[in-house]
Amino acid sequence: MPIDTACRFVTPSRFGEAAPTSFWRVAPAAAALEASAIREILKVTERPDVLSFAGGAPSPVAFPIEAVRAASDRILRDDPTGALQYGPSEGYLPLREQIAARLTAAGQPTTVANVLVTTGSQQALDLIGKALLAPGVTVLAANPTYVGALQVFALHGTRLAELDDDSAAERAAFAYVTPSFANPTGVSLAAAAQRRLVERLAASNVPLIEDDAYGDLWFDEAPPPGCRAIAPAQVLTLGSFSKVLAPGLRVGYVAGPPPIIALLARLKQGADLHTPSLNQRIVAALIANGTLDAELPRLRSFYKRQRDALLGALDRHLAALADWRVPAGGMFVWLRLKQGRDATALLAEALRRRVAFVPGAPFYFAAADPATLRLSFATVAGERIDEGITGLAAALADAPGA
Amino acid sequence: MPIDTACRFVTPSRFGEAAPTSFWRVAPAAAALEASAIREILKVTERPDVLSFAGGAPSPVAFPIEAVRAASDRILRDDPTGALQYGPSEGYLPLREQIAARLTAAGQPTTVANVLVTTGSQQALDLIGKALLAPGVTVLAANPTYVGALQVFALHGTRLAELDDDSAAERAAFAYVTPSFANPTGVSLAAAAQRRLVERLAASNVPLIEDDAYGDLWFDEAPPPGCRAIAPAQVLTLGSFSKVLAPGLRVGYVAGPPPIIALLARLKQGADLHTPSLNQRIVAALIANGTLDAELPRLRSFYKRQRDALLGALDRHLAALADWRVPAGGMFVWLRLKQGRDATALLAEALRRRVAFVPGAPFYFAAADPATLRLSFATVAGERIDEGITGLAAALADAPGA
């Protein structure tokens, strides 16, 4: 491909005084990439005086701070060279063994050869994009879907089609689903729905990327073991310690067929060589000493109390103005304003009342419903949730279209 | 692009029993990507009984273990939420400020808007590839060059041309150089050579990626301030704390024109959201409390002693059999066997004598010189370097072609 069509010149005006001549020719997909609309909204909503239901972050109240501190201290005493030296791209072997054992116990038979440790599960999406996507290739996904995945698909010039679009399935590189408590909708796939999905995709030889970032945060009963338990040769499962330990450590993983895992490991060499050695050892220590298993029940009750506080406030203040889904786990309630009210217009009014949320629009890759919005129940203190939803109801009364 | 040409089917045989049908269609550039030949060699040479001059890792003897431990402990007491929560894609602001101040002091005027923190400087290469490369685009580089950069270029289907190839310069996306103590050759660009390079590239509107992973490890005098000091609008400088603090933390950075840095930050959102929060704070603490500045003179004398031990042993045992360059910093001696001897054939014989090195061939993207090899003086204990080179000389006497 000649460079003139592959790259477009960035005009000097975009670069201001720092670049008097146009040295930099940006690849078209990169030039078209916009900053995540949600991260931009979060910058506005992170003022300390705002009651924010906008974030996608877990509650810092739940971080096992002392356990991380003790583990880091112990690791840097007992294995400082391991913690500070380069390590294998595939990941720290004891951590891969632990991930394999946990997946196996959860119903997905897994060995070390099935597991690649990644720098958060976002990196697994990036590596999968490099491995399997090319311009014009189709990806099947729920509409709406996680924006971090949409960013990766956009970078590769991918076409997106809805998960149930049979005409697109025949040519798809893969389908992308969140099996449990999806971001943003909170929706889960029951066991029968997982099986139907896997079989329908298998009929077209389409593999499945199963992003299970929230599966551990169930409230009443554990979700089914996931699509990879049904069809291990057809599925890559993504997992993360961000929601159950701490996102700042950036440790996640992808599990699947060994040849695909080996390919992703080669791609990881070029991406960041390996996930930080210290961080992998901290996670391994928190698994080995029982911290993670002790934290999980506490986390589940914490997030369930938070969800119930939000649902109670919605019942009291928004019952006449919106509909919402009751999630069985995770961190989000997906809400739809009645009478075709626009969630983006509402946000400006809500921010004046120091309440924030994320409009649904950025999560859609097709046919957006502008009346939708996402409320996180993770980070607003339980006793202030009612105050926040009261403010949201008042904003709704005052916003354009009321 | 239709999927049938964009992706090729992986045959079931490659996947063994784990994949009875060919679900996985791998993008051609990813399928063609080979594991780094050097990382594969390192797996063979990492046996504890091998005296290995092969690695690219810094000496763990030089890691500031106690300072990292104290910093991690202090951070997790004073700022646990910051250390464990999600953070901005651009990086931890105090660390960006420190990097800007250090670059400014080294002769490259820099503000926070010029700096993106990356998960090692390898990630900076990955992001730059996504931003600026496309299939068929040309990159100019020294032949031989760093294999981690060659991997990134290969993934994008890039054509490589030698740095002094004027016919290729006209259409190049960028030039890639290591200004000081390059891996693998140890070569540096003097100030006048830097200026000539920048001006020659500017004549064709070609920007420059300056990978300065080794610049702090000078032995007798500091290198010149780098090409970015000459032409800030034309140059991205990559830096790393891997060689001067610890590679296992995976903290590096890229500095350059704000619009390019902002583009790379958007690409980083999709790559891993952000570099681990704890690790960025550890590096910031080691800069703030003077650990890094106290370590640097010690590191420089340590590596200089190691270099001198290696040069002495080469003089004693290989003077008749090889030529080599004397590096003024960094971690590597680049050696050329006399009489057209083949370094890859020598490696097998050397490993029998429990001595390892890396043949030069994998570093070349064109016209490889099979007589070359790279010796790292970083990790073999000083008092055993002579023993290792004695073994290498004996292997050379016995190897095919002797």
Side-chain angles (χ1 to χ4, degrees), chain A residues 1-4 6-7 9 14-28 30-31 33-36 39-40 43 56-60 63-66 68-69 72-73 76-77 80-81 83-90 119-120 122-126 129-138 146 148 151-152 155 159 171-174 201-202 204-209 232-236 240 242-243 246-250 257-260 263 266-279 282 379, chain B residues 1-4 6-7 9 14-28 30-31 33-36 39-40 43 56-60 63-66 68-69 72-73 76-77 80-81 83-90 119-120 122-126 129-138 146 148 151-152 155 159 171-174 201-202 204-209 232-236 240 242-243 246-250 257-260 263 266-279 282 379:
Chain A
M1 193 182 318
I3 187 168
D4 297 329
C7 287
F9 278 80
R14 269 195 66 195
F15 282 76
E17 295 184 309
T21 59
S22 60
F23 291 110
W24 305 91
R25 294 168 286 275
V26 176
L33 194 73
E34 290 175 15
S36 156
R39 284 184 86 96
E40 297 308 305
K43 284 180 186 169
S59 172
F63 294 160
I65 296 165
E66 285 308 306
V68 171
R69 200 166 62 75
S72 174
D73 191 72
L76 288 164
R77 286 179 199 274
T81 300
L84 297 178
Q85 186 57 287
Y86 286 119
S89 296
E90 292 81 359
T119 307
Q122 182 68 41
Q123 186 183 51
L125 288 169
D126 179 60
K130 288 171 171 163
L132 303 178
L133 297 181
V137 161
T138 298
Y146 166 58
Q151 273 188 305
V152 169
L155 184 63
R159 272 196 291 246
R171 300 173 76 80
F174 57 77
L201 295 171
S204 304
N205 257 357
V206 173
L208 180 61
I209 312 301
Q234 187 185 352
V235 179
L236 288 172
S240 172
S242 291
K243 308 303 187 288
L249 294 174
R250 311 302 307 123
I260 294 291
L263 171 64
R266 289 199 294 279
L267 289 162
K268 184 168 166 65
Q269 287 181 15
D272 65 359
L273 298 183
H274 63 88
T275 294
S277 311
L278 174 62
N279 307 35
I282 290 174
T379 49
Chain B
M1 193 179 323
I3 187 168
D4 297 330
C7 288
F9 278 80
R14 268 195 66 197
F15 282 76
E17 295 184 310
T21 59
S22 60
F23 291 110
W24 305 91
R25 294 169 286 274
V26 176
L33 193 74
E34 291 174 15
S36 156
R39 284 185 86 95
E40 298 307 305
K43 285 180 186 170
S59 172
F63 295 161
I65 296 166
E66 285 308 306
V68 172
R69 199 166 62 75
S72 174
D73 191 73
L76 287 164
R77 285 179 199 274
T81 300
L84 297 178
Q85 187 57 287
Y86 286 118
S89 297
E90 292 81 358
T119 308
Q122 182 68 40
Q123 186 184 51
L125 289 169
D126 179 60
K130 287 171 172 163
L132 303 177
L133 297 181
V137 161
T138 298
Y146 167 56
Q151 273 189 306
V152 169
L155 184 64
R159 271 196 292 246
R171 299 174 76 79
F174 58 77
L201 294 171
S204 303
N205 256 357
V206 173
L208 180 61
I209 312 301
Q234 187 185 351
V235 180
L236 288 172
S240 172
S242 291
K243 308 304 187 288
L249 294 174
R250 312 302 307 121
I260 294 291
L263 171 64
R266 289 199 295 278
L267 289 162
K268 185 167 166 65
Q269 287 181 13
D272 66 358
L273 298 183
H274 63 88
T275 294
S277 311
L278 173 63
N279 306 36
I282 290 173
T379 49

Side-chain angles (χ1 to χ4, degrees), chain A:
Chain A
M1 193 182 318
I3 187 168
D4 297 329
T5 59
C7 287
R8 72 176 180 78
F9 278 80
V10 173
T11 56
S13 64
R14 269 195 66 195
F15 282 76
E17 295 184 309
T21 59
S22 60
F23 291 110
W24 305 91
R25 294 168 286 275
V26 176
L33 194 73
E34 290 175 15
S36 156
I38 288 162
R39 284 184 86 96
E40 297 308 305
I41 289 168
L42 292 183
K43 284 180 186 169
V44 181
T45 63
E46 272 167 358
R47 295 179 347 225
D49 60 330
V50 168
L51 279 174
S52 179
F53 301 93
S59 172
V61 174
F63 294 160
I65 296 165
E66 285 308 306
V68 171
R69 200 166 62 75
S72 174
D73 191 72
R74 170 60 56 197
I75 291 159
L76 288 164
R77 286 179 199 274
D78 292 351
D79 182 20
T81 300
L84 297 178
Q85 186 57 287
Y86 286 119
S89 296
E90 292 81 359
Y92 177 52
L93 186 59
L95 178 59
R96 294 169 71 207
E97 289 168 346
Q98 291 167 324
I99 292 166
R102 295 180 77 85
L103 285 170
T104 301
Q108 295 188 11
T110 304
T111 70
V112 161
N114 297 115
V115 177
L116 172 69
V117 178
T118 57
T119 307
S121 65
Q122 182 68 41
Q123 186 183 51
L125 288 169
D126 179 60
L127 301 176
I128 290 167
K130 288 171 171 163
L132 303 178
L133 297 181
V137 161
T138 298
V139 169
L140 305 175
N143 183 39
T145 208
Y146 166 58
V147 289
L150 295 180
Q151 273 188 305
V152 169
F153 304 153
L155 184 63
H156 291 280
T158 307
R159 272 196 291 246
L160 282 151
E162 299 208 36
L163 207 50
D164 57 4
D165 180 345
D166 279 322
S167 67
E170 304 227 335
R171 300 173 76 80
F174 57 77
Y176 171 79
V177 299
T178 304
S180 301
F181 327 129
N183 176 7
T185 59
V187 164
S188 299
L189 289 176
Q194 290 185 4
R195 182 166 293 279
R196 277 196 306 274
L197 175 64
V198 164
E199 288 173 357
R200 194 170 63 82
L201 295 171
S204 304
N205 257 357
V206 173
L208 180 61
I209 312 301
E210 165 174 78
D211 187 347
D212 198 21
Y214 301 96
D216 282 323
L217 295 181
W218 49 266
F219 298 152
D220 296 308
E221 54 178 333
C227 300
R228 187 165 162 264
I230 301 168
Q234 187 185 352
V235 179
L236 288 172
T237 290
L238 277 51
S240 172
F241 296 100
S242 291
K243 308 303 187 288
V244 295
L245 289 174
L249 294 174
R250 311 302 307 123
V251 180
Y253 59 87
V254 50
I260 294 291
I261 294 298
L263 171 64
L264 297 177
R266 289 199 294 279
L267 289 162
K268 184 168 166 65
Q269 287 181 15
D272 65 359
L273 298 183
H274 63 88
T275 294
S277 311
L278 174 62
N279 307 35
Q280 293 190 70
R281 281 164 175 77
I282 290 174
V283 171
L286 298 185
I287 295 173
N289 68 17
T291 298
L292 176 57
D293 283 328
E295 290 290 325
L296 282 172
R298 280 199 284 269
L299 273 178
R300 289 171 190 140
S301 4
F302 171 79
Y303 283 113
K304 185 179 178 181
R305 281 197 308 277
Q306 293 282 113
R307 176 201 65 172
D308 291 344
L310 178 57
L311 292 176
L314 292 174
D315 275 333
R316 285 188 291 279
H317 307 296
L318 285 182
L321 303 168
D323 299 305
W324 54 88
R325 286 215 186 85
V326 174
M331 294 172 18
F332 305 112
V333 168
W334 184 244
L335 191 136
R336 186 172 190 284
L337 303 175
K338 291 185 178 175
Q339 301 155 346
R341 298 288 297 277
D342 186 276
T344 304
L346 174 63
L347 178 60
E349 193 62 42
L351 282 172
R352 277 220 287 268
R353 294 170 181 276
R354 297 177 183 160
V355 176
F357 61 85
V358 176
F363 295 96
Y364 289 92
F365 56 83
D369 180 346
T372 55
L373 59 94
R374 187 191 76 177
L375 296 172
S376 162
F377 48 82
T379 49
V380 177
E383 66 275 15
R384 300 198 65 188
I385 285 179
D386 192 87
E387 176 189 347
I389 298 305
T390 303
L392 187 61
L396 203 44
D398 289 351

Side-chain angles (χ1 to χ4, degrees), chain B:
Chain B
M1 193 179 323
I3 187 168
D4 297 330
T5 59
C7 288
R8 71 176 180 79
F9 278 80
V10 174
T11 56
S13 65
R14 268 195 66 197
F15 282 76
E17 295 184 310
T21 59
S22 60
F23 291 110
W24 305 91
R25 294 169 286 274
V26 176
L33 193 74
E34 291 174 15
S36 156
I38 287 161
R39 284 185 86 95
E40 298 307 305
I41 289 168
L42 291 182
K43 285 180 186 170
V44 180
T45 62
E46 273 167 356
R47 293 178 352 222
D49 59 332
V50 169
L51 279 174
S52 179
F53 301 92
S59 172
V61 174
F63 295 161
I65 296 166
E66 285 308 306
V68 172
R69 199 166 62 75
S72 174
D73 191 73
R74 170 61 54 196
I75 291 159
L76 287 164
R77 285 179 199 274
D78 293 350
D79 182 22
T81 300
L84 297 178
Q85 187 57 287
Y86 286 118
S89 297
E90 292 81 358
Y92 177 51
L93 186 59
L95 178 59
R96 294 168 72 207
E97 290 168 346
Q98 291 167 324
I99 292 165
R102 294 179 77 84
L103 285 170
T104 302
Q108 296 188 11
T110 304
T111 71
V112 161
N114 297 114
V115 178
L116 172 69
V117 178
T118 56
T119 308
S121 65
Q122 182 68 40
Q123 186 184 51
L125 289 169
D126 179 60
L127 300 176
I128 289 167
K130 287 171 172 163
L132 303 177
L133 297 181
V137 161
T138 298
V139 169
L140 305 175
N143 184 38
T145 207
Y146 167 56
V147 289
L150 295 180
Q151 273 189 306
V152 169
F153 304 153
L155 184 64
H156 291 279
T158 307
R159 271 196 292 246
L160 283 151
E162 299 207 35
L163 206 51
D164 57 3
D165 179 345
D166 279 323
S167 67
E170 303 227 334
R171 299 174 76 79
F174 58 77
Y176 171 78
V177 299
T178 304
S180 301
F181 327 129
N183 175 6
T185 60
V187 164
S188 299
L189 290 175
Q194 290 184 3
R195 181 165 293 280
R196 278 195 306 275
L197 175 64
V198 164
E199 287 172 357
R200 194 168 62 82
L201 294 171
S204 303
N205 256 357
V206 173
L208 180 61
I209 312 301
E210 165 175 77
D211 188 348
D212 198 20
Y214 301 96
D216 282 323
L217 295 182
W218 49 267
F219 298 151
D220 297 308
E221 54 177 335
C227 299
R228 187 164 162 263
I230 302 168
Q234 187 185 351
V235 180
L236 288 172
T237 290
L238 276 52
S240 172
F241 297 99
S242 291
K243 308 304 187 288
V244 294
L245 288 174
L249 294 174
R250 312 302 307 121
V251 180
Y253 59 87
V254 51
I260 294 291
I261 294 298
L263 171 64
L264 298 177
R266 289 199 295 278
L267 289 162
K268 185 167 166 65
Q269 287 181 13
D272 66 358
L273 298 183
H274 63 88
T275 294
S277 311
L278 173 63
N279 306 36
Q280 293 189 71
R281 281 164 175 77
I282 290 173
V283 171
L286 298 186
I287 294 173
N289 69 17
T291 298
L292 176 57
D293 283 328
E295 290 290 325
L296 282 173
R298 280 198 284 270
L299 273 177
R300 288 170 191 140
S301 352
F302 170 80
Y303 283 113
K304 186 178 179 182
R305 281 197 308 277
Q306 293 282 115
R307 177 201 64 171
D308 290 343
L310 178 57
L311 292 176
L314 292 174
D315 275 332
R316 284 188 292 278
H317 306 297
L318 286 182
L321 303 167
D323 299 306
W324 54 87
R325 286 214 185 85
V326 174
M331 296 172 16
F332 305 112
V333 167
W334 185 243
L335 192 135
R336 186 172 189 286
L337 302 176
K338 291 186 178 174
Q339 301 156 345
R341 298 288 297 278
D342 186 276
T344 304
L346 175 62
L347 178 60
E349 192 63 41
L351 283 172
R352 277 220 289 268
R353 296 171 180 274
R354 296 179 182 159
V355 175
F357 60 85
V358 176
F363 296 97
Y364 290 93
F365 58 82
D369 181 345
T372 55
L373 58 94
R374 188 191 75 178
L375 296 172
S376 163
F377 47 82
T379 49
V380 176
E383 67 275 15
R384 301 198 65 189
I385 285 179
D386 193 87
E387 176 189 346
I389 299 304
T390 303
L392 188 60
L396 202 44
D398 289 352

